[in-house]
Amino acid sequence: MTTKQPTKHELRTQETRELLLGAAEQIFIRDGYEQAELGEIAELAGRTKGAIYGHFKSKEDIFLALVESHALSQRAAMRKHIESSTSIAANIAAFRQFFVDFAGDEKWPLLLLEFRLYTIRHPDAGERLQKVHEAIIRQDEESAYAALLGPAQKGKASVSRAAAVHAGLGMLSALQLEAKFSPLLVSQGTVKNIAGKVFDALFETK
Amino acid sequence: MTTKQPTKHELRTQETRELLLGAAEQIFIRDGYEQAELGEIAELAGRTKGAIYGHFKSKEDIFLALVESHALSQRAAMRKHIESSTSIAANIAAFRQFFVDFAGDEKWPLLLLEFRLYTIRHPDAGERLQKVHEAIIRQDEESAYAALLGPAQKGKASVSRAAAVHAGLGMLSALQLEAKFSPLLVSQGTVKNIAGKVFDALFETK
Amino acid sequence: MTTKQPTKHELRTQETRELLLGAAEQIFIRDGYEQAELGEIAELAGRTKGAIYGHFKSKEDIFLALVESHALSQRAAMRKHIESSTSIAANIAAFRQFFVDFAGDEKWPLLLLEFRLYTIRHPDAGERLQKVHEAIIRQDEESAYAALLGPAQKGKASVSRAAAVHAGLGMLSALQLEAKFSPLLVSQGTVKNIAGKVFDALFETK
Amino acid sequence: MTTKQPTKHELRTQETRELLLGAAEQIFIRDGYEQAELGEIAELAGRTKGAIYGHFKSKEDIFLALVESHALSQRAAMRKHIESSTSIAANIAAFRQFFVDFAGDEKWPLLLLEFRLYTIRHPDAGERLQKVHEAIIRQDEESAYAALLGPAQKGKASVSRAAAVHAGLGMLSALQLEAKFSPLLVSQGTVKNIAGKVFDALFETK
DNA sequence: ACAGACGGGACATCCCGTTGTT
DNA sequence: AACAACGGGATGTCCCGTCTGT
């Protein structure tokens, strides 16, 4: 076996890291990046601030680690969905489902919004940001998406596949935000309806 | 007339208020609510913090006043657009134009996003928040929008007019955010294309 | 009159600055730079940490301001001493007195030692450091000191006037330190004796 | 024999201790006591903080152990020098050489300065401090030094042998500090020149 | 003996809002 | 109305020393 037995230290480390990221998720979503307090995150995780700084370099670092972790699991989930599919039409259907589910999620969209705002306002946050971007964005996106979903329509008003994915996810984040903002007007059901419509419009799937 | 002639003093006061709001706009958009510093706002306006507290009660207050001011001028502009229109089709066209312009604006969408986030996280912010909401939202919205744009489609997947307006504006805010986040992928031109598609999808105008 | 009446604000500012620097002197000397607490300095001055940051940019800044202030008053005092002197011999006597007094001072030597250590360990502390240096050190030192004290002896073992001044002040700082370290062995009287001997040796005044 | 053969285990332990002290020397000299980080010391020694706390009780303890170790080896070296000497004149010459070498050393003087400052500021540091003092200072110093160097001159301005030794070493520490502070003005060559002059002045050796 | 994780607690820094002044 | 100084209080960051495990 190449995987050696994990020691208790390693187990503890892993457990703490997950506890911290779990707590960070709650607090960052609830309070936003700036208002989130590391002390509260630690407390929620049953640890102290000292533990946070044993695992992460800074508040920024734990935030980015959280986004990265979400992105990776998100991507893995999607890959699984699509692996079992054989036709472009099926891919599109799977992708559509992913979109709708994404809009309906109450956590990830808000986290992504925070991340977008943070990134715009800290363009020099450095290499860590690069890694997170790579976890969200793929290389050579357009061809990858074209292979998945078929090429984009041609024409003046057409939108490339990659742009559609990005803009779509961004807009759906805001849709969930809106649902939280005016829950009476924009229910979770409405969110799903709208998400579907937007997907169809962006990817022009008759 | 109840409105008396403004004195020189009042003019000066009014000017300061506008200077402050103008500076606040820049700083709040650039840094976000939490990171924005009142000192910097004052400095940019050529005043000091004392001036801010002469005109506003708190940081929250100047932020909300800014959003309210934008909302009112926005609404006035739209009203003007529509007043000259006579048919529902023309209304829809005018409204579509408003949507596309909104998405292309580089300030107001970001401000609105900040406002949404702030509101969600400070639901008990009190009466000031109410006034701002009223500036953005109308009473009896659905019927107002229906009168303007015609009734929404019926059916399981249909979306009410009011919900469409809210969700649409929210999503377009995020679209502009995306344009700032990935300018290479989502250009300002793409923003307008997508804004149009989303409008058509939401309001189902063949 | 060119000097306009100071406002109460300016008076208060000046007073607070002096209070803070006075308190800083006590604490920095007693505890050293690292162990000194800004809170204690503020408290001793009857102000709060907020006040410190209204007057100085950082802990480093208040420390350097303190050293600079001391250096300037020190230099002014010496200049006064020497102005009234007419011959080189009288200058030397005045300088010797200054040396002995310096060694006997219980504050300034320790402050200078802290400053030396700080400077060595923070070579990149920037322009502020330059200003402080200029307050302590003169330009074109050698000729200035030569004019004051006569030229240095020639020969292999001779020491330039400027080097003698610097090394001398440094060593006397440590002498005072030693007096604090072993008060029984090195009394304040011994300090003055030794300071005189060292001066004579360095400046080779028979 | 009470000293039994060291086992392999004990050798390893001894080696670690020396590694740690070597690393500590570098870090304490470079950063000063307060700024020195135990983590960095451990890393430099190729160990972890756990190892430090296996060998020493605290940060203070390793610092004092370091000073003590230096002092002991220093004293041993000097004893060797002097053992081979037969006349007081030769002793004085040997002692002078020791002084000049001390001033030229780039480590021990700085360490001693740190120790002096630390001691002044922690007078109640307890028994550990006593041990270190005994390593540096001898009992019945004056008679010991008088035997070595001849009695001190009599007279108002005379300085006892013991005081001269202490004050001398203290001042030379600061001399090396000055060389690091203004290397252009006070070169290592100048340091040796001045050290010699100061020695002659303090011990009044024609 | 040594490694690694974590607690615990301190502290510089920051900035909003208040107070007295002009 | 506007300025300027200051209080007040929070919080990210840091690091020593302990404790468990190997």
Side-chain angles (χ1 to χ4, degrees):
Chain A
M1 290 280 286
T2 52
T3 29
K4 56 181 178 184
Q5 206 67 353
T7 71
K8 282 197 183 168
H9 273 151
E10 287 165 346
L11 284 176
R12 177 82 199 235
T13 296
Q14 185 57 24
E15 185 194 341
T16 295
R17 192 185 153 91
E18 278 159 20
L19 280 171
L20 289 173
L21 284 178
E25 181 183 88
Q26 286 189 51
I27 303 297
F28 277 129
I29 288 176
R30 193 191 68 191
D31 296 341
Y33 179 78
E34 306 294 345
Q35 284 290 348
E37 290 180 30
L38 294 187
E40 203 172 355
I41 290 176
E43 195 180 10
L44 190 60
R47 294 288 187 277
T48 64
K49 284 192 287 182
I52 292 185
Y53 278 86
H55 287 263
F56 306 98
K57 281 187 315 201
S58 62
K59 188 181 187 182
E60 178 184 290
D61 192 44
I62 188 173
F63 177 58
L64 297 184
L66 175 63
V67 175
E68 188 180 34
S69 144
H70 264 278
L72 288 175
S73 68
Q74 222 42 31
R75 185 196 280 195
M78 204 175 76
R79 194 166 285 168
K80 218 169 169 186
H81 257 259
I82 288 180
E83 255 165 15
S84 57
S85 146
T86 50
S87 68
I88 283 188
N91 282 341
I92 289 179
F95 215 68
R96 193 181 195 277
Q97 187 59 42
F98 171 73
F99 251 63
V100 173
D101 288 348
F102 172 85
D105 181 16
E106 303 202 17
K107 291 175 174 178
W108 182 222
L110 290 184
L111 214 47
L112 216 52
L113 264 183
E114 281 290 328
F115 174 66
R116 297 277 207 272
L117 288 166
Y118 185 83
T119 306
I120 289 176
R121 286 166 182 157
H122 303 81
D124 51 336
E127 49 181 292
R128 185 63 208 258
L129 220 46
Q130 287 307 318
K131 288 188 191 165
V132 181
H133 276 137
E134 283 164 25
I136 300 180
I137 302 173
R138 310 147 175 267
Q139 312 305 108
D140 192 13
E141 285 190 285
E142 186 60 25
S143 55
Y145 287 125
L148 263 176
L149 308 172
Q153 305 271 58
K154 300 289 173 191
K156 224 183 70 182
S158 77
V159 173
S160 77
R161 289 311 194 199
V165 169
H166 283 256
L169 290 179
M171 287 193 292
L172 296 187
S173 300
L175 188 55
Q176 178 59 232
L177 177 67
E178 198 64 34
K180 289 203 174 305
F181 180 74
S182 325
L184 297 177
L185 209 52
V186 183
S187 66
Q188 292 295 337
T190 310
V191 162
K192 302 222 159 194
N193 273 346
I194 295 182
K197 285 181 196 290
V198 168
F199 180 88
D200 295 338
L202 279 178
F203 293 95
E204 306 190 67
T205 60
K206 295 285 125 58
Chain B
M1 290 278 286
T2 52
T3 29
K4 55 181 176 185
Q5 207 64 357
T7 70
K8 291 251 174 73
H9 218 96
E10 288 167 349
L11 280 178
R12 159 84 183 182
T13 296
Q14 185 58 23
E15 186 195 338
T16 293
R17 193 187 149 89
E18 279 157 20
L19 277 172
L20 289 174
L21 284 177
E25 180 183 273
Q26 285 188 52
I27 302 299
F28 278 127
I29 288 176
R30 194 192 64 191
D31 297 340
Y33 179 78
E34 303 295 346
Q35 283 291 349
E37 293 177 30
L38 294 186
E40 202 174 356
I41 290 175
E43 193 183 13
L44 190 61
R47 296 288 189 276
T48 63
K49 272 195 306 180
I52 293 184
Y53 281 88
H55 288 264
F56 307 96
K57 280 188 315 197
S58 63
K59 187 181 188 181
E60 177 184 289
D61 192 43
I62 188 174
F63 175 60
L64 297 183
L66 175 62
V67 175
E68 186 182 37
S69 144
H70 263 276
L72 289 174
S73 69
Q74 218 51 26
R75 184 195 283 194
M78 206 175 74
R79 193 167 286 168
K80 218 172 170 184
H81 258 258
I82 288 180
E83 256 166 14
S84 57
S85 149
T86 48
S87 68
I88 283 188
N91 281 343
I92 289 180
F95 214 68
R96 193 182 195 276
Q97 187 60 43
F98 170 73
F99 250 63
V100 173
D101 288 347
F102 172 84
D105 181 15
E106 304 202 16
K107 291 174 176 177
W108 183 220
L110 290 183
L111 216 46
L112 216 52
L113 262 183
E114 281 289 329
F115 175 67
R116 297 276 207 273
L117 289 166
Y118 185 84
T119 307
I120 289 177
R121 287 166 181 157
H122 304 79
D124 51 339
E127 51 181 292
R128 190 77 181 86
L129 215 49
Q130 287 308 317
K131 288 190 191 163
V132 181
H133 275 136
E134 283 163 25
I136 300 181
I137 302 173
R138 307 145 179 267
Q139 310 306 107
D140 192 13
E141 285 190 284
E142 186 59 24
S143 56
Y145 286 126
L148 262 176
L149 307 173
Q153 307 268 57
K154 301 286 175 192
K156 225 183 68 181
S158 76
V159 174
S160 78
R161 290 312 195 199
V165 170
H166 282 257
L169 289 179
M171 288 194 291
L172 296 186
S173 299
L175 188 55
Q176 180 57 232
L177 178 66
E178 198 65 34
K180 291 205 174 302
F181 180 75
S182 325
L184 297 177
L185 209 51
V186 183
S187 67
Q188 292 295 338
T190 309
V191 163
K192 301 223 160 195
N193 273 345
I194 295 182
K197 284 179 197 290
V198 167
F199 180 89
D200 294 338
L202 280 177
F203 294 95
E204 308 192 65
T205 62
K206 293 286 129 52
Chain C
M1 290 280 285
T2 52
T3 28
K4 55 180 179 187
Q5 204 69 353
T7 71
K8 284 197 185 169
H9 272 153
E10 288 165 344
L11 285 176
R12 177 83 200 236
T13 296
Q14 186 58 24
E15 185 194 341
T16 295
R17 192 187 153 90
E18 279 158 19
L19 280 172
L20 288 174
L21 284 178
E25 182 184 88
Q26 286 189 49
I27 302 299
F28 277 130
I29 288 176
R30 194 191 65 191
D31 297 342
Y33 179 79
E34 306 294 346
Q35 283 291 346
E37 289 179 32
L38 294 186
E40 203 172 356
I41 290 176
E43 195 181 11
L44 190 60
R47 294 287 187 278
T48 64
K49 285 190 287 182
I52 292 186
Y53 279 86
H55 288 262
F56 306 97
K57 281 187 314 200
S58 61
K59 187 182 187 181
E60 177 184 291
D61 193 44
I62 189 173
F63 176 60
L64 297 184
L66 175 63
V67 175
E68 188 180 34
S69 146
H70 264 277
L72 289 174
S73 67
Q74 225 38 35
R75 184 196 281 196
M78 204 175 76
R79 194 167 287 169
K80 219 171 167 185
H81 259 259
I82 288 180
E83 254 165 16
S84 57
S85 148
T86 49
S87 68
I88 282 187
N91 281 343
I92 288 179
F95 215 69
R96 191 180 196 278
Q97 187 59 43
F98 171 73
F99 250 64
V100 173
D101 288 348
F102 172 84
D105 181 15
E106 303 201 17
K107 291 175 176 177
W108 183 221
L110 291 183
L111 215 46
L112 215 52
L113 264 183
E114 281 290 329
F115 175 66
R116 296 276 206 272
L117 289 166
Y118 185 83
T119 308
I120 289 177
R121 287 167 181 156
H122 303 80
D124 51 336
E127 51 181 290
R128 184 63 207 260
L129 221 45
Q130 287 306 317
K131 288 188 192 166
V132 181
H133 277 136
E134 283 163 27
I136 300 180
I137 302 174
R138 309 146 177 266
Q139 311 307 106
D140 193 13
E141 285 191 282
E142 187 59 25
S143 56
Y145 286 125
L148 262 176
L149 307 173
Q153 308 268 57
K154 299 289 172 190
K156 226 184 67 182
S158 76
V159 174
S160 78
R161 290 312 196 198
V165 170
H166 282 259
L169 290 178
M171 288 193 292
L172 297 186
S173 300
L175 189 55
Q176 179 58 231
L177 178 66
E178 197 65 35
K180 290 204 174 304
F181 181 73
S182 324
L184 297 177
L185 209 50
V186 184
S187 67
Q188 291 294 336
T190 310
V191 162
K192 301 223 161 192
N193 273 346
I194 295 182
K197 284 180 197 290
V198 168
F199 180 88
D200 295 337
L202 280 179
F203 293 95
E204 307 190 67
T205 63
K206 295 285 127 54
Chain D
M1 292 278 286
T2 53
T3 29
K4 54 182 178 185
Q5 207 65 356
T7 69
K8 290 253 174 72
H9 219 94
E10 286 168 351
L11 281 178
R12 160 84 183 183
T13 296
Q14 185 57 23
E15 186 195 337
T16 293
R17 193 185 150 91
E18 277 156 22
L19 277 172
L20 289 173
L21 283 177
E25 180 183 271
Q26 286 190 50
I27 302 299
F28 277 127
I29 288 177
R30 194 191 66 192
D31 297 340
Y33 179 77
E34 304 294 346
Q35 283 290 350
E37 294 177 28
L38 295 187
E40 203 173 354
I41 291 176
E43 194 182 12
L44 191 60
R47 295 286 188 279
T48 64
K49 272 195 306 180
I52 294 185
Y53 281 89
H55 287 264
F56 306 97
K57 280 188 318 200
S58 63
K59 187 182 187 180
E60 179 184 285
D61 192 44
I62 187 172
F63 176 58
L64 297 183
L66 175 63
V67 175
E68 187 181 36
S69 143
H70 263 277
L72 289 175
S73 67
Q74 217 53 25
R75 184 194 283 194
M78 206 175 75
R79 192 167 288 169
K80 217 171 169 184
H81 258 258
I82 288 181
E83 257 165 14
S84 56
S85 148
T86 49
S87 67
I88 284 189
N91 282 342
I92 289 180
F95 214 68
R96 192 181 196 276
Q97 188 58 43
F98 171 72
F99 250 63
V100 173
D101 288 348
F102 173 83
D105 181 17
E106 304 202 15
K107 291 176 175 176
W108 182 222
L110 291 183
L111 215 47
L112 215 51
L113 263 183
E114 281 289 329
F115 175 66
R116 297 276 207 274
L117 290 166
Y118 185 83
T119 306
I120 289 177
R121 286 165 183 158
H122 303 80
D124 50 338
E127 50 181 295
R128 190 76 180 87
L129 215 48
Q130 287 309 318
K131 288 188 192 164
V132 180
H133 274 134
E134 285 163 24
I136 301 181
I137 301 173
R138 308 145 177 268
Q139 309 306 107
D140 192 13
E141 284 191 286
E142 186 60 24
S143 55
Y145 285 125
L148 262 178
L149 307 172
Q153 307 269 57
K154 300 289 172 188
K156 225 184 67 185
S158 76
V159 174
S160 78
R161 289 312 193 200
V165 170
H166 282 258
L169 290 179
M171 288 194 291
L172 297 187
S173 299
L175 189 54
Q176 180 58 231
L177 178 66
E178 198 65 34
K180 290 206 175 302
F181 181 73
S182 327
L184 297 177
L185 209 50
V186 183
S187 66
Q188 291 295 337
T190 309
V191 163
K192 302 222 158 193
N193 274 344
I194 295 182
K197 284 179 197 290
V198 168
F199 181 88
D200 295 338
L202 279 178
F203 293 95
E204 307 190 66
T205 62
K206 301 277 129 60

mmCIF file of all heavy atoms in Angstrom, chain C residues 77-86 91 94-95 148:
data_model
loop_
_atom_site.group_PDB
_atom_site.id
_atom_site.type_symbol
_atom_site.label_atom_id
_atom_site.label_comp_id
_atom_site.label_asym_id
_atom_site.label_seq_id
_atom_site.Cartn_x
_atom_site.Cartn_y
_atom_site.Cartn_z
ATOM 1 N N ALA C 77 21.220 72.805 22.759
ATOM 2 C CA ALA C 77 21.910 73.096 24.011
ATOM 3 C C ALA C 77 23.420 73.203 23.780
ATOM 4 O O ALA C 77 24.077 74.127 24.283
ATOM 5 C CB ALA C 77 21.602 71.993 25.029
ATOM 6 N N MET C 78 23.940 72.265 23.005
ATOM 7 C CA MET C 78 25.370 72.281 22.772
ATOM 8 C C MET C 78 25.786 73.522 21.996
ATOM 9 O O MET C 78 26.802 74.155 22.294
ATOM 10 C CB MET C 78 25.794 71.036 22.019
ATOM 11 C CG MET C 78 27.253 70.708 22.267
ATOM 12 S SD MET C 78 27.672 69.145 21.485
ATOM 13 C CE MET C 78 27.769 69.653 19.775
ATOM 14 N N ARG C 79 25.004 73.835 20.996
ATOM 15 C CA ARG C 79 25.320 75.006 20.184
ATOM 16 C C ARG C 79 25.424 76.253 21.066
ATOM 17 O O ARG C 79 26.324 77.075 20.900
ATOM 18 C CB ARG C 79 24.222 75.186 19.130
ATOM 19 C CG ARG C 79 24.595 76.144 18.026
ATOM 20 C CD ARG C 79 23.612 76.026 16.854
ATOM 21 N NE ARG C 79 23.818 74.798 16.100
ATOM 22 C CZ ARG C 79 22.979 74.326 15.171
ATOM 23 N NH1 ARG C 79 21.859 74.979 14.916
ATOM 24 N NH2 ARG C 79 23.259 73.230 14.512
ATOM 25 N N LYS C 80 24.510 76.333 21.994
ATOM 26 C CA LYS C 80 24.510 77.477 22.892
ATOM 27 C C LYS C 80 25.799 77.517 23.706
ATOM 28 O O LYS C 80 26.463 78.548 23.816
ATOM 29 C CB LYS C 80 23.314 77.370 23.839
ATOM 30 C CG LYS C 80 22.628 78.687 24.132
ATOM 31 C CD LYS C 80 21.338 78.415 24.884
ATOM 32 C CE LYS C 80 20.741 79.645 25.486
ATOM 33 N NZ LYS C 80 19.536 79.303 26.303
ATOM 34 N N HIS C 81 26.147 76.377 24.254
ATOM 35 C CA HIS C 81 27.384 76.263 25.018
ATOM 36 C C HIS C 81 28.570 76.787 24.232
ATOM 37 O O HIS C 81 29.417 77.514 24.744
ATOM 38 C CB HIS C 81 27.659 74.780 25.348
ATOM 39 C CG HIS C 81 27.298 74.420 26.738
ATOM 40 N ND1 HIS C 81 28.213 74.292 27.742
ATOM 41 C CD2 HIS C 81 26.092 74.156 27.286
ATOM 42 C CE1 HIS C 81 27.584 73.951 28.852
ATOM 43 N NE2 HIS C 81 26.296 73.857 28.614
ATOM 44 N N ILE C 82 28.634 76.381 23.006
ATOM 45 C CA ILE C 82 29.835 76.634 22.211
ATOM 46 C C ILE C 82 29.853 78.054 21.653
ATOM 47 O O ILE C 82 30.916 78.645 21.465
ATOM 48 C CB ILE C 82 29.942 75.582 21.097
ATOM 49 C CG1 ILE C 82 30.338 74.246 21.751
ATOM 50 C CG2 ILE C 82 30.944 75.980 20.051
ATOM 51 C CD1 ILE C 82 30.474 73.124 20.791
ATOM 52 N N GLU C 83 28.681 78.577 21.389
ATOM 53 C CA GLU C 83 28.608 79.919 20.813
ATOM 54 C C GLU C 83 29.376 80.945 21.664
ATOM 55 O O GLU C 83 30.026 81.851 21.145
ATOM 56 C CB GLU C 83 27.144 80.365 20.716
ATOM 57 C CG GLU C 83 26.633 80.336 19.288
ATOM 58 C CD GLU C 83 25.112 80.418 19.270
ATOM 59 O OE1 GLU C 83 24.527 80.799 20.301
ATOM 60 O OE2 GLU C 83 24.523 80.103 18.223
ATOM 61 N N SER C 84 29.282 80.766 22.957
ATOM 62 C CA SER C 84 29.908 81.741 23.844
ATOM 63 C C SER C 84 31.418 81.536 23.958
ATOM 64 O O SER C 84 32.108 82.304 24.617
ATOM 65 C CB SER C 84 29.262 81.651 25.225
ATOM 66 O OG SER C 84 29.389 80.332 25.701
ATOM 67 N N SER C 85 31.897 80.475 23.319
ATOM 68 C CA SER C 85 33.327 80.176 23.435
ATOM 69 C C SER C 85 34.088 80.773 22.258
ATOM 70 O O SER C 85 33.570 80.914 21.157
ATOM 71 C CB SER C 85 33.511 78.665 23.500
ATOM 72 O OG SER C 85 34.707 78.280 22.906
ATOM 73 N N THR C 86 35.364 81.132 22.507
ATOM 74 C CA THR C 86 36.127 81.817 21.454
ATOM 75 C C THR C 86 37.362 81.040 20.989
ATOM 76 O O THR C 86 37.792 81.188 19.862
ATOM 77 C CB THR C 86 36.592 83.200 21.943
ATOM 78 O OG1 THR C 86 37.206 83.038 23.232
ATOM 79 C CG2 THR C 86 35.416 84.152 22.069
ATOM 80 N N ASN C 91 36.533 75.450 23.353
ATOM 81 C CA ASN C 91 35.593 74.534 22.706
ATOM 82 C C ASN C 91 35.770 73.127 23.239
ATOM 83 O O ASN C 91 34.797 72.422 23.539
ATOM 84 C CB ASN C 91 35.838 74.515 21.197
ATOM 85 C CG ASN C 91 35.220 75.717 20.518
ATOM 86 O OD1 ASN C 91 34.369 76.397 21.088
ATOM 87 N ND2 ASN C 91 35.673 76.000 19.313
ATOM 88 N N ALA C 94 34.365 72.786 26.586
ATOM 89 C CA ALA C 94 32.902 72.755 26.541
ATOM 90 C C ALA C 94 32.417 71.391 26.067
ATOM 91 O O ALA C 94 31.474 70.810 26.611
ATOM 92 C CB ALA C 94 32.369 73.855 25.623
ATOM 93 N N PHE C 95 33.100 70.885 25.078
ATOM 94 C CA PHE C 95 32.720 69.589 24.516
ATOM 95 C C PHE C 95 32.930 68.486 25.550
ATOM 96 O O PHE C 95 32.112 67.578 25.685
ATOM 97 C CB PHE C 95 33.573 69.319 23.270
ATOM 98 C CG PHE C 95 32.830 68.584 22.207
ATOM 99 C CD1 PHE C 95 31.792 69.191 21.510
ATOM 100 C CD2 PHE C 95 33.169 67.273 21.900
ATOM 101 C CE1 PHE C 95 31.109 68.505 20.523
ATOM 102 C CE2 PHE C 95 32.479 66.581 20.927
ATOM 103 C CZ PHE C 95 31.456 67.188 20.237
ATOM 104 N N LEU C 148 35.950 72.951 15.198
ATOM 105 C CA LEU C 148 35.624 73.121 16.613
ATOM 106 C C LEU C 148 36.788 72.747 17.515
ATOM 107 O O LEU C 148 37.161 73.483 18.429
ATOM 108 C CB LEU C 148 34.456 72.218 16.979
ATOM 109 C CG LEU C 148 33.075 72.829 17.022
ATOM 110 C CD1 LEU C 148 32.054 71.746 17.312
ATOM 111 C CD2 LEU C 148 33.023 73.921 18.072
#
